[in-house]
Amino acid sequence: MSLCGSIEKGRGIGMLYINDLTKNYGSFTAVNHLSLHIPEGDLFGFVGPNGAGKTTTIRIVCGLLRASGGSVRIGGTSAAVGSKVMKRMIGYVPDFFGVYDNLKVREYMDMYGSMYGMDSRDIAKLTDDLLELVNLSDKKEEYVDTLSRGMKQRLCVARALLHNPKLLILDEPSSGLDPRARVEMKELLKNLHSMGKTIVISSHILSELSEMCNSIGIMNRGQLITAGRIEDIMQQISGGKRMHIQVASGMESAVRSLKEQPGIRIESVRENEIIMLFNGADEEISALIGLMIQNQVVLTGFYREEGSLESLFMQLTGGGAQ
Amino acid sequence: MKLRWNPIVKKDLQVTARSMRLSWGLFAYEAVLTMTFLMALSIIQQSSRSFYSSGNVYGKLIYLFPVLAVAQVCIVAMIVPVITASSISGEKERQTFDIMLTTCMSPFSIVLGKVMSAVLRILFFVVAGMPIMALAFVVGGLSWSYLFYFVLTIILLSVLSGSIGILCSALCRRSITAVILSYAFYFVVYGLTFLPMFLKLFMTHAENVGESMLLLLFNPIIFYEEFFMQLMTGESVFGQNGSMFSRDEVGFITYHLSQGRAWVFLSAACILLLSLLLLMAAAWKVNPMHSSSGRRRKKK
């Protein structure tokens, strides 16, 4: 499968084009010929174990790291990474960010607005709107260092949106947040997605990503293993069809008859349960059940395991995420 | 055209103004200046009471000006690197620098903003010390314009010290390393610029140091020596009889530079040029698009 273009098939225009991106640190290759296209309006989840190259990729896109090879384009412009044109198109929220002592929330927003060359009146108006969006309106005159971690993270999102970027990039936005703050962050991102913002999130929390994102890319050891819509990838993984067969009696006979069938690989046999991978079509499943009943096997349950992002991730990378 | 504040200057001044460090810093600065004033006054009084003295204490009070000025120069030279050396590395330690780099500010604007804010903070101190400085003027003999010239030289010194500090800050990951490196850099600017001259004097046993002195145009010590000499006596440190370098000992170019106030102006230009080069080097270093492949970033 060509990973390039797989996400945007049949959808809007491309927002982020990463083409053959490579980053080497000496002999170590952090990102290895990564190509990825993300369409406008997508909420894209970047998944991968530690050291997979997600943050490196994000830092290259944001102009914080020079790539060893390849190219990055945003919104169809041909501007170079790190140029002012590109910087105006990106809102970046790092995994961890510090704050300045003795700086109020309003002043914090004002400082970053000025750094984008915005007019102070525009900054003031947008600050009010954005603080309302991230539910921090009542904290406007408070010092940034007195805010909780979750509030600081939401403030950072508001800061990243101040110059109205086309693309919002968040590097592990939920890391270090308590469950409540995670939920608030998730709701905020869903809200932004519904407003039409293109968002790229790198995260370890797969359950959250599967709830939020409409497309994902899985990275491992610097390479993009797969990318596309979540449902497409799920379908791809469930092609293996992990089946659970619960047996009341006749376990030996059941195992024997299953082993005789083509396209079946038994993964494990427990006291009352057989877990197997089945490659056949759905209509073959009923024939399989019939065969086992014919062989005096008493079945109490038979179900197909639903594909989850966790199982997909584990299967593709060999683990490494929550 | 609307004049815009550099956002970093604005932020740094806001943050500094609310900090207790500013108050304590001002207190310490004034205390050192007052102590210097009182000690200088005491020495002048004691020397005027001696047997050989004419007893005219007022005639000597004008020397309070260079004494207090030198004290301020020393304090500024010592504290500016501490302020600027921790500026970029401090942002990196706080992990705010990455966000700054993703904004539309160029790396040069960022380092310039950091140095400007350090210079402005130093000016708070210098202006606060003005009343003590002004006591040297009440007895007459000195023009009030000297105070203005002195403030200009302090700005120049702050820019140079700030540029050294900011480059070291860009080179180092930790603030403390940057501060130490800044003082090592001081040794190069203040000490090693004498090296060609000493080498010529001692290695070749030459009577004439010639143009080996020209590197001293970048040396703030010589700049201030010449500046005060010009203000107090109207003579050049290179041309005064009995000074370390007489006209016979310096080279042709140095001799002509020592005429009038040429050395002061040229030295100021050289120091500014050096500062600009250091700022550009710092901007180049912090620009992620220029830095080499670098080390892998460790996640916290």
Side-chain angles (χ1 to χ4, degrees), chain A residues 144-158:
Chain A
V144 179
D145 57 336
T146 63
L147 301 182
S148 70
R149 176 86 200 248
M151 287 176 183
K152 282 177 190 168
Q153 200 75 326
R154 295 208 306 276
L155 176 64
C156 198
V157 173

Side-chain angles (χ1 to χ4, degrees), chain B residues 52-162:
Chain B
Y52 299 103
S53 168
S54 62
N56 180 15
V57 69
Y58 297 106
K60 293 174 181 171
L61 283 180
I62 58 165
Y63 290 108
L64 282 171
F65 171 67
V67 169
L68 289 173
V70 167
Q72 293 205 65
V73 166
C74 291
I75 298 170
V76 168
M78 293 303 285
I79 61 173
V80 173
V82 177
I83 298 173
T84 51
S86 57
S87 54
I88 300 279
S89 47
E91 297 277 357
K92 286 179 189 166
E93 283 168 5
R94 267 196 303 269
Q95 302 203 6
T96 45
F97 194 60
D98 278 353
I99 302 178
M100 217 174 251
L101 284 174
T102 59
T103 66
C104 287
M105 284 197 82
S106 66
F108 188 78
S109 308
I110 293 173
V111 296
L112 189 67
K114 288 288 180 190
V115 172
M116 276 166 66
S117 73
V119 172
L120 284 173
R121 272 184 270 178
I122 286 304
L123 283 180
F124 289 164
F125 290 66
V126 173
V127 170
M130 280 293 170
I132 300 172
M133 289 283 286
L135 285 171
F137 290 79
V138 291
V139 290
L142 288 169
S143 166
W144 285 98
S145 61
Y146 291 1
L147 259 183
F148 173 71
Y149 297 142
F150 173 67
V151 172
L152 286 184
T153 66
I154 282 284
I155 293 172
L156 182 72
L157 179 71
S158 309
V159 170
L160 175 69
S161 308

Side-chain angles (χ1 to χ4, degrees), chain A residues 23-25 28 51 55 59 62-66 81-82 84 87-88 92 94-104 107-108 110-112 114-119 143 156 159 171-172, chain B residues 2 4-5 7-8 10-12 14-16 18-20 91 93-107 110 114 287-297 299-300:
Chain A
K23 177 66 189 175
N24 299 316
Y25 293 98
F28 177 79
T55 299
R59 288 174 67 78
C62 292
L64 293 171
L65 204 58
R66 192 174 62 174
V81 172
K84 278 190 182 179
K87 284 176 175 180
R88 280 189 196 281
Y92 172 57
D95 53 343
F96 181 83
F97 69 102
V99 290
Y100 302 101
D101 299 336
N102 301 322
L103 202 65
K104 292 178 179 176
E107 292 162 348
Y108 177 83
D110 182 64
M111 179 183 82
Y112 283 105
S114 306
M115 286 181 173
Y116 283 103
M118 293 167 66
D119 186 71
Y143 288 102
C156 198
R159 189 268 313 151
D171 190 4
E172 311 219 5
Chain B
K2 193 179 173 183
R4 273 184 186 275
W5 269 94
I8 291 174
K10 193 177 168 187
K11 183 270 291 177
D12 278 357
Q14 266 174 337
V15 169
T16 309
R18 288 173 183 152
S19 157
M20 278 299 287
E91 297 277 357
E93 283 168 5
R94 267 196 303 269
Q95 302 203 6
T96 45
F97 194 60
D98 278 353
I99 302 178
M100 217 174 251
L101 284 174
T102 59
T103 66
C104 287
M105 284 197 82
S106 66
I110 293 173
K114 288 288 180 190
N287 189 340
M289 293 298 112
H290 288 163
S291 58
S292 56
S293 59
R295 276 176 277 182
R296 292 181 68 197
R297 182 173 173 258
K299 281 219 160 195
K300 288 219 170 182

Side-chain angles (χ1 to χ4, degrees), chain B residues 5-299:
Chain B
W5 269 94
N6 184 314
I8 291 174
V9 175
K10 193 177 168 187
K11 183 270 291 177
D12 278 357
L13 293 183
Q14 266 174 337
V15 169
T16 309
R18 288 173 183 152
S19 157
M20 278 299 287
R21 273 189 300 181
L22 181 73
S23 314
W24 284 113
L26 271 174
F27 173 76
Y29 188 82
E30 296 297 310
V32 170
L33 218 54
T34 307
M35 290 289 287
T36 311
F37 175 81
L38 292 174
M39 279 172 66
L41 196 61
S42 162
I43 291 166
I44 288 169
Q45 277 182 330
Q46 278 179 4
S47 65
S48 66
R49 281 195 210 111
S50 70
F51 182 77
Y52 299 103
S53 168
S54 62
N56 180 15
V57 69
Y58 297 106
K60 293 174 181 171
L61 283 180
I62 58 165
Y63 290 108
L64 282 171
F65 171 67
V67 169
L68 289 173
V70 167
Q72 293 205 65
V73 166
C74 291
I75 298 170
V76 168
M78 293 303 285
I79 61 173
V80 173
V82 177
I83 298 173
T84 51
S86 57
S87 54
I88 300 279
S89 47
E91 297 277 357
K92 286 179 189 166
E93 283 168 5
R94 267 196 303 269
Q95 302 203 6
T96 45
F97 194 60
D98 278 353
I99 302 178
M100 217 174 251
L101 284 174
T102 59
T103 66
C104 287
M105 284 197 82
S106 66
F108 188 78
S109 308
I110 293 173
V111 296
L112 189 67
K114 288 288 180 190
V115 172
M116 276 166 66
S117 73
V119 172
L120 284 173
R121 272 184 270 178
I122 286 304
L123 283 180
F124 289 164
F125 290 66
V126 173
V127 170
M130 280 293 170
I132 300 172
M133 289 283 286
L135 285 171
F137 290 79
V138 291
V139 290
L142 288 169
S143 166
W144 285 98
S145 61
Y146 291 1
L147 259 183
F148 173 71
Y149 297 142
F150 173 67
V151 172
L152 286 184
T153 66
I154 282 284
I155 293 172
L156 182 72
L157 179 71
S158 309
V159 170
L160 175 69
S161 308
S163 306
I164 291 172
I166 207 87
L167 177 61
C168 297
S169 193
L171 291 171
C172 301
R173 280 171 180 260
R174 295 187 61 199
S175 299
I176 185 72
T177 324
V179 172
I180 294 166
L181 188 64
S182 297
Y183 289 121
F185 214 112
Y186 261 29
F187 174 72
V188 174
V189 176
Y190 286 73
L192 291 187
T193 44
F194 282 102
L195 194 64
M197 189 186 76
F198 286 136
L199 281 177
K200 183 143 192 189
L201 275 176
F202 298 115
M203 303 286 282
T204 64
H205 304 288
E207 287 182 358
N208 187 323
V209 291
E211 316 307 349
S212 61
M213 290 182 76
L214 287 179
L215 210 57
L216 292 175
L217 281 167
F218 294 95
N219 192 318
I221 296 174
I222 302 298
F223 169 79
Y224 270 108
E225 198 176 355
E226 177 73 357
F227 173 74
F228 286 121
M229 188 68 88
Q230 290 282 354
L231 284 193
M232 305 300 287
T233 66
E235 283 271 340
S236 167
V237 71
F238 303 99
Q240 198 185 33
N241 281 335
S243 73
M244 192 176 169
F245 314 108
S246 74
R247 278 175 189 170
D248 298 331
E249 291 166 341
V250 297
F252 177 79
I253 300 172
T254 314
Y255 170 72
H256 284 282
L257 286 177
S258 68
Q259 303 303 300
R261 289 177 175 171
W263 182 278
V264 171
F265 287 114
L266 194 62
S267 181
C270 287
I271 289 172
L272 263 182
L273 179 71
L274 178 63
S275 307
L276 186 68
L277 290 173
L278 294 171
L279 282 176
M280 286 164 70
W284 193 87
K285 183 71 186 76
V286 299
N287 189 340
M289 293 298 112
H290 288 163
S291 58
S292 56
S293 59
R295 276 176 277 182
R296 292 181 68 197
R297 182 173 173 258
K298 282 181 185 167
K299 281 219 160 195

